[in-house]
Amino acid sequence: MDDQTLAKIFDPFFSTKFTGRGLGAAAVHGIVRGHKGAIGITSRPGRGTIFQVLFPASGPAVAVGAGGFEAPARRAGGTILVVDDEEMVRNLARRLIERAGFTVLTAADGAQAVQLYRQHQAEIALVLLDLTMPRMDGQEAFRELRRISPSVRVVVSSGYSEEDATERFAGLGLTGFVPKPYQPGELIATLKKALDRD
C-alpha cells in the first residue's frame, strides 16, 4: 500500500473497493484495542504488507469470556439474527454472540434477513441489523421486519455515530444501537439490555 492508503487503513468505511465496504480492518483494530493490544503495519507497493498484532502477556487463566463477560454455563434463550454484508464482521458477531450463549442465524443483506425472519419468526428474539448495505439497507429492512411483526426487536449497528445512525428511526420503535467496530463486552451488554426491555 502507498502511504496515503496506509494512513486510512483503519478508518471506518474506508475502502479501495465500492461503497458500503471497509469495516473489516476497523473491526479488527477495535477488537485488538479492546483487548489492550496494538497493530503494527509495514507495507511497500509491489512488495507486500506485514501486519503485526501484539497483545499484553496474559496472567493466570480465569473463567471469563471475550470482553470481560462471564461465559455462561448454559445457552441463553432465543435466537439472534445477525445481518451484515461484510462477511468478516458478520462472522465475528456470530462468534461473540454464540460465546455469550445464544443461537445465531446470519444474513448477508436486508432481503435475506427479511426472508429468514419470515421463516424463523417464532424463534428469533432479536435482530442485529447493519445500517449500510448495498442490497436492501438497514432502514428498508427494518420497515419490512416491522410489517411482518410490529413487536420485532431490532438493534442497529453502524460505524456512524449513534445520533446519525438512529435519527432515521426516530419514533419507529428501534430497540437499541451498538457502534462498530464491535467491542465484545459492549456488544453483548447491548443485546442483553435490548432483550430485557418490555
Side-chain angles (χ1 to χ4, degrees):
M1 292 177 280
D2 57 32
D3 290 342
Q4 185 176 9
T5 301
L6 192 58
K8 297 179 179 179
I9 192 68
F10 294 123
D11 290 355
F13 297 109
F14 172 74
S15 177
T16 57
K17 299 179 182 178
F18 58 86
T19 303
R21 314 299 292 182
L23 270 173
V28 170
H29 191 238
I31 293 163
V32 171
R33 285 192 317 173
H35 289 84
K36 297 182 172 52
I39 301 178
I41 308 175
T42 304
S43 186
R44 292 183 183 176
R47 297 284 301 274
T49 302
I50 298 173
F51 287 83
Q52 292 180 306
V53 182
L54 307 172
F55 292 101
S58 64
V62 291
V64 176
F69 54 88
E70 294 182 7
R74 59 182 177 82
R75 299 198 72 77
T79 296
I80 294 179
L81 173 58
V82 174
V83 189
D84 201 296
D85 64 309
E86 292 258 10
E87 184 178 7
M88 182 178 181
V89 176
R90 189 170 65 244
N91 289 338
L92 168 67
R94 177 183 55 78
R95 287 194 299 271
L96 293 173
I97 295 168
E98 285 179 342
R99 191 179 298 166
F102 294 93
T103 301
V104 178
L105 295 173
T106 61
D109 57 53
Q112 187 180 13
V114 171
Q115 181 181 4
L116 279 171
Y117 190 79
R118 283 197 181 102
Q119 295 170 352
H120 301 278
Q121 179 181 348
E123 63 200 77
I124 294 175
L126 183 143
V127 180
L128 176 62
L129 182 64
D130 183 25
L131 181 60
T132 308
M133 294 178 286
R135 181 172 174 242
M136 190 184 280
D137 66 13
Q139 190 173 2
E140 186 179 354
F142 178 82
R143 287 196 300 266
E144 292 300 318
L145 292 170
R146 290 299 298 270
R147 286 191 183 104
I148 298 169
S149 172
S151 62
V152 61
R153 296 178 190 223
V154 178
V155 171
V156 164
S157 65
S158 176
Y160 294 111
S161 71
E162 181 173 2
E163 182 179 358
D164 291 340
T166 59
E167 66 180 3
R168 61 194 80 184
F169 298 95
L172 298 179
L174 187 67
T175 311
F177 171 82
V178 63
K180 291 183 183 179
Y182 294 134
Q183 300 295 325
E186 182 179 18
L187 171 63
I188 300 307
T190 300
L191 297 180
K192 287 183 175 180
K193 181 179 179 182
L195 288 167
D196 288 341
R197 286 181 57 176
D198 294 329

